[in-house]
Amino acid sequence: MEENKTVGEDEREQEIWSWGAGTEGQLGTGRLQDEHTPQLLHSFSSFAPISSLSCGGAHVIALTPDGRVLTWGRGTSGQLGHGEMVNSLQPKPVKAVEGLVISHASAGWNHSGFVSDTGLLFTCGDGSFGQLGHGDYKSQCTPIKVSCFSSKHVEQIACGMRHSLVLLRDPLGDQVYGFGSGKRGQLGISNDKVKSASLPRITLGLTEVNIKSINANGDHSAALSAGGHLYTWGRGFRGASDLYFPHCFPSDLSFKQVVLGWNHALVQTSEHKVFMIGGYHHGVLGDPQKTALMKHTSAESKEGIMQRIPNLEENEVLHIAAGAEHSALVTGNGSVMTWGWGEHGQLGLGDTVDQTDPQVVSLGHNLTEERAISRVYCGSGFSFVLRTYDGHSQIR
């Protein structure tokens, strides 16, 4: 889940766009269909402004600046938290957490997590792998407090395909916990294979590292330290061996953001440059020469392969996002760019063609002169842009 950015009081100063897979209502358009071009949404007029989004398998969580929660899209596992297991075409409040200020949220494949400003954690949705952290394998259609953390202060949750990570506010102690499916090492709780864990367990090797953010998607897990180091564990990239506990990625670069797909990771450096780790399905990254070289590298060295995203040399990148097998970013001049898998129109380019290099998405008009602040979010096969007008500043 992305960090919150408070926006202006006037909802007319904000635009929300969506495109891509939409057959379960996840685009918020009120239609059950894919959209190949960006759609300007009007369904938030009574809730706006929105401060942040998290996009999952086919559902979306939105937070408002005052800590209210809206969800929509696929709800058949209870992941919307509305007290029933049905889809919702329109954003609806999560009434079970009304009265709390929700400061952080994350949408996984079929489950959701919500963190209050007082450090409480609530989860709902598919629990069949223990990913809700309640000590059982039951699904929940209403957010339930994770009692394991009742006496601790939860800072963030990251929901993946079938697992969850939690970051506590404790820079010198047991900060990161994992629960849910662990068969690819994505929980980081043991040197051996762990089928699943239905109660949170401490992730190994990070107790002496000051972790500032966590991320989960597919069977991958990642964390960034306050010092800019990247840690990854879980399913190996590009056929590399699975990692059963966090490994520090070998690089001299300082990282400030990491996002995960199903087969790739994007990282943004403190110099606003973007690199990709892994990626080869559906044109996520296309370079025939480098692909050929992969066949001759060892499994150990594959883990360390990180490539600069092409055709961005002159662009400063302010924000990144990753779907299952597509990627997106926002440049310093406000442009939104996408590439990768395009089958459902999730690139927003008007077609279903895969793209190997970043392409500019047209949002209808040029907002550069109006100093628009844009943030991009990706679900498994769909995308959202939250665009806020600001006459004085831009996110850096």
Side-chain angles (χ1 to χ4, degrees), residues 233-250:
W233 61 103
R235 182 181 175 189
F237 293 106
R238 284 203 182 228
S241 300
D242 296 346
L243 300 174
Y244 291 98
F245 58 93
H247 286 64
C248 186
F249 192 85

Side-chain angles (χ1 to χ4, degrees), residues 9 37 40 56 92 106 145 184 187 263 304 312-313 324-325:
E9 295 298 324
T37 58
L40 181 60
K92 293 181 180 179
S106 180
K145 185 170 69 174
R184 303 300 295 267
L187 302 183
N263 295 289
L312 293 176
E313 286 76 9
E325 300 199 51

Side-chain angles (χ1 to χ4, degrees), residues 19-23 26-27 31-36 343-345 381:
W19 61 89
T23 56
Q26 62 266 54
L27 297 184
R31 300 184 294 272
L32 295 174
Q33 65 186 46
D34 292 356
E35 301 287 353
H36 299 167
E343 181 179 349
H344 297 284

Side-chain angles (χ1 to χ4, degrees), residues 272-351:
H272 301 287
K273 306 303 181 185
V274 178
F275 294 81
M276 179 178 286
I277 303 168
Y280 55 89
H281 289 284
H282 297 294
V284 170
L285 185 64
D287 188 329
Q289 293 180 331
K290 290 181 179 177
T291 301
L293 289 172
M294 297 303 165
K295 299 177 182 178
H296 305 290
T297 58
S298 66
E300 290 77 17
S301 65
K302 287 178 185 177
E303 175 201 343
I305 293 175
M306 182 170 66
Q307 300 177 54
R308 180 87 176 268
I309 301 302
N311 302 328
L312 293 176
E313 286 76 9
E314 303 303 320
N315 287 304
E316 188 178 52
V317 175
L318 303 185
H319 192 228
I320 57 175
E325 300 199 51
H326 74 290
S327 301
L329 56 82
V330 179
T331 66
N333 63 8
S335 295
V336 175
M337 305 181 77
T338 61
W339 71 102
W341 182 32
E343 181 179 349
H344 297 284
Q346 61 263 54
L347 304 185
L349 304 175
D351 55 35

Side-chain angles (χ1 to χ4, degrees), residues 89-387:
L89 274 67
Q90 300 287 350
K92 293 181 180 179
V94 180
K95 295 182 178 180
V97 294
E98 287 182 350
L100 296 170
V101 175
I102 300 301
S103 58
H104 194 273
S106 180
W109 178 250
N110 272 332
H111 70 295
S112 303
F114 310 92
V115 179
S116 75
D117 64 342
T118 58
L120 299 176
L121 172 65
F122 301 82
T123 58
C124 63
D126 181 14
S128 57
F129 293 85
Q131 63 265 53
L132 301 187
H134 300 309
D136 57 33
Y137 295 88
K138 299 177 182 178
S139 297
Q140 300 288 343
C141 58
T142 299
I144 304 295
K145 185 170 69 174
V146 180
S147 57
C148 175
F149 297 117
S150 293
S151 61
K152 303 178 186 297
H153 190 110
V154 175
E155 193 89 354
Q156 298 173 24
I157 182 168
C159 298
M161 172 78 80
R162 305 177 187 91
H163 75 292
S164 303
L165 303 177
V166 164
L167 175 64
L168 301 184
R169 182 189 290 174
D170 188 1
L172 297 176
D174 300 329
Q175 306 167 81
V176 182
Y177 286 71
F179 44 98
S181 174
K183 65 178 183 178
R184 303 300 295 267
Q186 62 264 49
L187 302 183
I189 61 176
S190 172
N191 292 326
D192 301 316
K193 288 188 177 182
V194 175
K195 183 177 180 181
S196 66
S198 61
L199 285 172
R201 292 173 57 182
I202 296 169
T203 297
L204 304 176
L206 297 176
T207 54
E208 296 183 3
V209 182
N210 185 358
I211 299 298
K212 71 171 186 177
S213 67
I214 52 176
N215 198 285
N217 197 2
D219 295 326
H220 301 294
S221 298
L224 284 181
S225 75
H229 296 292
L230 170 66
Y231 293 82
T232 62
W233 61 103
R235 182 181 175 189
F237 293 106
R238 284 203 182 228
S241 300
D242 296 346
L243 300 174
Y244 291 98
F245 58 93
H247 286 64
C248 186
F249 192 85
S251 174
D252 295 329
L253 297 172
S254 176
F255 300 109
K256 62 178 295 185
Q257 188 187 1
V258 57
V259 292
L260 299 173
W262 287 0
N263 295 289
H264 73 291
L266 290 183
V267 288
Q268 179 196 17
T269 71
S270 57
E271 301 297 321
H272 301 287
K273 306 303 181 185
V274 178
F275 294 81
M276 179 178 286
I277 303 168
Y280 55 89
H281 289 284
H282 297 294
V284 170
L285 185 64
D287 188 329
Q289 293 180 331
K290 290 181 179 177
T291 301
L293 289 172
M294 297 303 165
K295 299 177 182 178
H296 305 290
T297 58
S298 66
E300 290 77 17
S301 65
K302 287 178 185 177
E303 175 201 343
I305 293 175
M306 182 170 66
Q307 300 177 54
R308 180 87 176 268
I309 301 302
N311 302 328
L312 293 176
E313 286 76 9
E314 303 303 320
N315 287 304
E316 188 178 52
V317 175
L318 303 185
H319 192 228
I320 57 175
E325 300 199 51
H326 74 290
S327 301
L329 56 82
V330 179
T331 66
N333 63 8
S335 295
V336 175
M337 305 181 77
T338 61
W339 71 102
W341 182 32
E343 181 179 349
H344 297 284
Q346 61 263 54
L347 304 185
L349 304 175
D351 55 35
T352 57
V353 178
D354 298 345
Q355 295 290 337
T356 57
D357 294 342
Q359 307 292 317
V360 175
V361 178
S362 174
L363 295 180
H365 50 292
N366 187 347
L367 298 177
T368 303
E369 294 181 358
E370 301 180 52
R371 306 291 285 177
I373 299 171
S374 296
R375 295 178 69 78
V376 63
Y377 306 86
C378 294
S380 61
F382 61 101
S383 307
F384 270 77
V385 163
L386 195 60
R387 173 161 278 190

